[in-house]
């Protein structure tokens, strides 16, 4: 346990009441946070991995990400809330 720390907004959201957000870094102060996904060339299950990546990029997959607080790829974030701007 710690008194304070720096966490991603999505982690703070998942933590619920156990984390109190006291400040949010302005999006202009850092590079966009990106979570790349790839199919490993030597994978023995390339077809399954490719289907999983397709799912992540699908409308259904994006809805799961957004429900967990992730902004759609390429969306600018509102600096005060960390949520995608409209």
């Amino acid at each position: 346990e710690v008194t304070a720390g720096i966490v991603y907004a999505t982690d703070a959201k998942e933590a619920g009441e156990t984390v109190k957000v006291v400040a949010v870094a302005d999006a202009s102060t850092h590079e966009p946070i990106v979570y790349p996904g790839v199919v490993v060339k030597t994978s023995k299950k390339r077809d399954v991995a490719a289907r999983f990546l397709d799912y992540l990029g699908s409308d259904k997959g994006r809805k799961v990400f957004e429900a967990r607080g992730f902004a759609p790829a390429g969306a600018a974030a509102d600096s005060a809330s960390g949520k995608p701007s409209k």
Side-chain angles (χ1 to χ4, degrees):
E1 302 230 358
V2 297
T3 304
I6 297 172
V7 299
Y8 290 111
T10 51
D11 293 338
K13 179 179 179 178
E14 279 297 308
E17 298 292 319
T18 62
V19 171
K20 179 181 177 185
V21 176
V22 297
V24 176
D26 188 293
S28 68
T29 65
H30 60 84
E31 295 293 320
I33 299 166
V34 178
Y35 296 89
V38 299
V39 177
V40 177
K41 188 176 184 178
T42 59
S43 173
K44 293 183 186 333
K45 297 186 179 187
R46 294 186 75 188
D47 58 328
V48 175
R51 287 197 317 267
F52 179 66
L53 289 178
D54 288 343
Y55 167 77
L56 295 178
S58 71
D59 287 340
K60 189 174 181 180
R62 281 191 290 275
K63 287 178 184 174
V64 171
F65 279 120
E66 289 176 16
R68 298 282 189 254
F70 289 89
D78 176 284
S79 61
S81 68
K83 295 181 181 174
S85 349
K86 303 231 179 200

